[in-house]
Amino acid sequence: MSAQVEFEGLIEYLHTNYDGVVGQMFGKKCIKVNGKAAVALFKDSLVFKLPEGTHGQAMALSGSILWDPSGKGRPMKEWVEVLTEHSTNYTKFADSAAGYVS
């Protein structure tokens, strides 16, 4: 599935458990929980703001990197960009991100 389709699925999923709002962060579509960004759509990946334990799990996946939305070599330490080939983990990461920011 495409990152866009996966993102839309997470919107529906998180809406059932959290007061999530679709918005924008750095010009990218994102899902906010309690007014704080938790998940973002970026190119062909999804990006998650993750706490320490889940952060390490996400970073261990092939192709995962710290998110650098500006592309200027300034990655955001808590945000992990996860390729769609690992989409089976997206729900787990979305739950962790939503819990982390709420």
Side-chain angles (χ1 to χ4, degrees), residues 4-102:
Q4 177 69 39
V5 171
E6 295 288 349
F7 182 76
E8 290 170 7
L10 289 179
I11 292 169
E12 293 297 318
Y13 172 75
L14 289 175
H15 181 68
T16 63
N17 296 305
Y18 301 95
D19 290 330
V21 175
V22 178
Q24 289 207 355
M25 178 179 68
F26 306 121
K28 316 298 186 256
K29 291 182 182 179
C30 75
I31 301 170
K32 294 181 178 183
V33 174
N34 295 331
K36 297 178 183 175
V39 181
L41 175 63
F42 183 68
K43 298 182 182 178
D44 293 326
S45 303
L46 291 186
V47 186
F48 303 88
K49 184 173 185 177
L50 297 170
E52 190 173 315
T54 315
H55 187 279
Q57 293 172 15
M59 287 298 293
L61 298 173
S62 64
S64 292
I65 59 172
L66 292 178
W67 187 37
D68 181 7
S70 70
K72 296 181 180 181
R74 296 180 296 202
M76 298 173 68
K77 296 176 184 177
E78 295 175 308
W79 289 84
V80 181
E81 184 177 339
V82 181
L83 301 175
T84 56
E85 67 188 60
H86 303 295
S87 63
T88 57
N89 295 291
Y90 281 177
T91 302
K92 173 177 70 173
F93 293 152
D95 274 332
S96 182
Y100 185 47
V101 301
S102 60

